[in-house]
Amino acid sequence: MRAASVLRGLSGVLAGGLVVLAVALGVAWVVATRTGSPGPAPAFLAWHAVAAVVAVVAQVRADRAADGGHGAGAALAVVGVSVAVLAALWLA
């Protein structure tokens, strides 16, 4: 059970990080539009928002799972979404 707790903790940090990143990008977009500076594209914001919502939903599922299998699967989904969004949008 120790590995499952570590995995859920890691996925929780990643889900929270995606939420913070989506909010920070939203703030950057608002600031950019008010100052006339180029900011993040709307599609970039939308993908981050979708990823944050998916990660939070999966994390809640992981935290509430009574058995280890479904909880671990949901936690791995959070890790997968985090890796996919960061690789596709930040390393491209």
Side-chain angles (χ1 to χ4, degrees):
M1 287 306 284
R2 178 81 173 120
S5 295
V6 170
L7 179 59
R8 277 198 329 269
L10 171 66
S11 65
V13 168
L14 291 173
L18 284 176
V19 170
V20 169
L21 182 58
V23 169
L25 285 169
V27 169
W29 179 79
V30 168
V31 169
T33 57
R34 290 181 185 234
T35 62
S37 304
F44 196 72
L45 294 171
W47 280 113
H48 280 82
V50 168
V53 169
V54 169
V56 167
V57 169
Q59 183 62 36
V60 168
R61 173 75 174 118
D63 287 339
R64 292 184 180 173
D67 60 344
H70 291 301
L76 287 173
V78 173
V79 173
V81 166
S82 301
V83 168
V85 117
L86 294 176
L89 297 176
W90 288 93
L91 297 179

